[in-house]
Amino acid sequence: LLRGLIIDRPNQVWAMDTTYIPMQRGFVYLTAVVDWATRRVLAWRVSISLAADAAVEALQEAIARYGVPEIMNTDQGSQFTAKDFIDVLRAHKIGISMDGKGCWRDNVFVERLWRTIKYEHVYLHAYESVSDARAKLAVYIDFYNRRRPHSSIDRRTPDDAYFDRPLLKLAA
């Protein structure tokens, strides 16, 4: 569904993915819903399994808080091909776009998010527990959305781009 499409406004296309987050002992999974045009993390969940429930919950939260996107892009992970996940998309008449097998570039914006989160936060903090990971990731994702400028959106923050707030120019 994305081939040749110009993506230039909030809620036009959302992307979702799941990554592993290492901890002092073991790891957890982080699933996020990202607005493609603005890079804003709309909802996320930390889970100890790859079951579809975390993806379904994140998707439902994003819809409840921000409305319905035209298209949802994911990879072919089992959590995104699960009946419960697909049922939410169909119930809201959201177009379903899935990456080709092994085509990480199709979901490059979420892959960049994972790299940013891991290198700017996760690898600097050895989470002691699942609750510690949740709490510290919440702080970082809030920073990412509200305060971290992105070169791909004219040095604006994801919040500024999503809510269409103009870039504030600093006095010299």
Side-chain angles (χ1 to χ4, degrees), residues 33-157:
V33 180
V34 178
D35 180 74
W36 191 305
T38 66
R39 314 302 193 261
R40 187 171 199 284
V41 177
L42 302 173
W44 58 277
R45 289 291 184 280
V46 169
S47 177
I48 59 170
S49 79
L50 276 176
D53 57 335
V56 170
E57 289 173 14
L59 175 58
Q60 289 173 328
E61 177 186 335
I63 290 169
R65 294 180 77 187
Y66 303 103
V68 177
E70 296 170 29
I71 299 170
M72 170 60 75
N73 188 68
T74 67
D75 62 20
Q76 296 181 33
S78 60
Q79 66 275 42
F80 305 121
T81 58
K83 180 183 180 322
D84 290 346
F85 184 82
I86 297 296
D87 285 350
V88 174
L89 297 175
R90 287 188 176 143
H92 292 282
K93 297 179 175 56
I94 299 168
I96 301 170
S97 178
M98 289 196 173
D99 301 343
K101 193 167 184 105
C103 294
W104 63 268
R105 289 180 308 271
D106 291 349
N107 219 1
V108 70
F109 299 117
V110 182
E111 298 298 335
R112 287 180 184 165
L113 171 68
W114 296 153
R115 182 180 185 279
T116 298
I117 287 174
K118 288 179 179 181
Y119 280 89
E120 292 184 3
H121 189 72
V122 172
Y123 297 152
L124 304 176
H125 301 86
Y127 305 137
E128 295 178 17
S129 65
V130 176
S131 60
D132 185 41
R134 258 190 208 104
K136 288 179 178 167
L137 285 166
V139 171
Y140 182 80
I141 292 171
D142 181 64
F143 163 79
Y144 176 89
N145 277 337
R146 294 187 326 122
R147 303 201 44 217
R148 187 184 185 282
H150 292 251
S151 59
S152 61
I153 50 176
D154 299 325
R155 305 290 306 154
R156 298 168 77 192
T157 68

